[in-house]
Amino acid sequence: MTVADATDETPLLSVRRLTKTFSVDGRWRARKLDVLRDVSFDVHAGEVVALVGESGSGKSTTARLIARLLPPSAGEIRFKGDNVLQSQPRRPTLAYRAHVQMIFQDPFSSLNPLHTIRYHLERPLRRHGKAGSRADLTTKVHRLLETVGLTPAEEFADKHPHQASGGQRQRVAIARALAVDPELILADEPTSMLDVSIRIDLLNLMRDLKVARRIGYLFITHDLGSARYFADRILVMYAGQIVESASSEALLDAPAHPYTQLLVAAVPSADSSIATGPVAAAGSGKPTASGVGCPFAERCPSVMDRCRTETPAAREVAPGHTASCHLY
Ligand code: SF4
């Protein structure tokens, strides 16, 4: 199927059994480590899917594979039905890069301090043929700045990144992504370096864009409060695997997997506030080399003998709610 053939029901993004294996130095010889194993999920147009987990759990690797910044070891990535690893095996097309944009945690590192904000916005507009004349370029830069709430746009365009606050720089990063009319945004911890009130403003902006432009988001966060506030669905990652998946409400109100239960219990006000602590109470969440049994077995309060030898498959614990655990 081509992009043009895709129907409304076709997910914007469909990831199947995505796996990334790295070689790590062992004592005698290199070992293989699955940083990501058999990760599968969909994101629909106008939907926010949060990928929640600790540092090292594989969230950012997932986004980088989808953005084609890293090659996967196995699996499938479909964009509007098109199998992009097959149709664009060596590198993504310019069109794919426009459709799938990425926003990073630290906007300062992705903005060149020597150039103005105008320069950063003109570049993608030019590269993707989104503006004709000089006047058109200027109008489009100003419109982008206004869309993300950076006004007066004429003044803001001539600032350098260091003259903007952290929240304003992240808005510039969003404006730059919007310059090429993306359908999917991979937002990798976009709010984690911001104060709570600025964080809410930024999530509100992203939500407005989701509604107005039907943008789908893969929202990567270690903050359950932000996930609850912004996401329609939450996927919980542990050691490179998705261990639970449900609507945000169902997952946080009735977490099924013991790992998710620990995460939710560690958040003092997950029911009402965005001002929550990071997902850190339940261990490192990094992949183990053995790959046998449940990845959470070493820390699980409900561990059974079979957990150490049999890898649990994802099972439906309620409609639309799955958990990978032998308790179900
Ligand atoms: Fe705990 Fe076993 Fe479930 Fe893993 S499979 S989360 S070890 S009960």
Side-chain angles (χ1 to χ4, degrees), residues 37-250:
R37 191 183 307 160
D38 290 339
V39 166
S40 300
F41 62 90
D42 293 336
V43 180
H44 288 82
E47 183 187 32
V48 180
V49 175
L51 213 46
V52 172
E54 295 145 31
S55 173
S57 60
K59 313 181 300 291
S60 294
T61 302
T62 305
R64 282 164 192 274
L65 292 175
I66 295 164
R68 309 285 310 274
L69 299 175
L70 283 175
S73 305
E76 198 175 273
I77 299 169
R78 286 184 181 271
F79 185 75
K80 295 169 88 173
D82 177 32
N83 186 337
V84 298
L85 297 175
Q86 253 175 31
S87 62
Q88 308 160 34
R90 284 168 57 81
R91 62 176 68 152
T93 60
L94 201 60
Y96 184 77
R97 286 186 198 275
H99 292 316
V100 181
Q101 284 283 300
M102 192 154 175
I103 300 171
F104 297 92
Q105 179 178 18
D106 178 8
F108 204 59
S109 64
S110 64
L111 299 172
N112 187 331
L114 299 176
H115 292 295
T116 62
I117 285 159
R118 180 187 305 283
Y119 169 90
H120 287 95
L121 299 183
E122 283 182 356
R123 224 168 151 231
L125 287 168
R126 273 211 196 95
R127 181 148 194 255
H128 290 263
K130 297 285 183 185
S133 63
R134 178 76 236 172
D136 187 26
L137 203 53
T138 301
T139 304
K140 288 203 164 120
V141 165
H142 291 171
R143 202 175 295 149
L144 283 168
L145 288 171
E146 281 158 10
T147 302
V148 298
L150 294 175
T151 54
E154 301 77 14
E155 226 171 80
F156 218 92
D158 292 322
K159 289 190 178 187
H160 284 76
H162 71 271
Q163 294 173 298
S165 68
Q168 288 171 335
R169 284 199 290 265
Q170 201 55 290
R171 283 172 187 262
V172 172
I174 293 172
R176 185 172 55 179
L178 294 179
V180 292
D181 297 322
E183 295 181 67
L184 176 71
I185 291 183
L186 310 168
D188 189 0
E189 302 268 14
T191 58
S192 64
M193 293 176 77
L194 305 176
D195 291 344
V196 170
S197 62
I198 297 169
R199 197 182 299 177
I200 294 171
D201 287 346
L202 205 81
L203 291 177
N204 287 340
L205 168 65
M206 289 164 63
R207 181 186 281 166
D208 290 347
L209 294 169
K210 167 191 116 148
V211 173
R213 302 184 180 213
R214 291 206 80 220
I215 294 174
Y217 288 88
L218 182 64
F219 176 56
I220 289 163
T221 183
H222 62 275
D223 177 9
L224 278 175
S226 294
R228 182 181 194 116
Y229 189 78
F230 183 46
D232 301 300
R233 270 190 310 132
I234 296 178
L235 315 176
V236 179
M237 282 198 94
Y238 187 83
Q241 298 174 51
I242 292 174
V243 297
E244 185 160 3
S245 157
S247 70
S248 303
E249 210 173 9

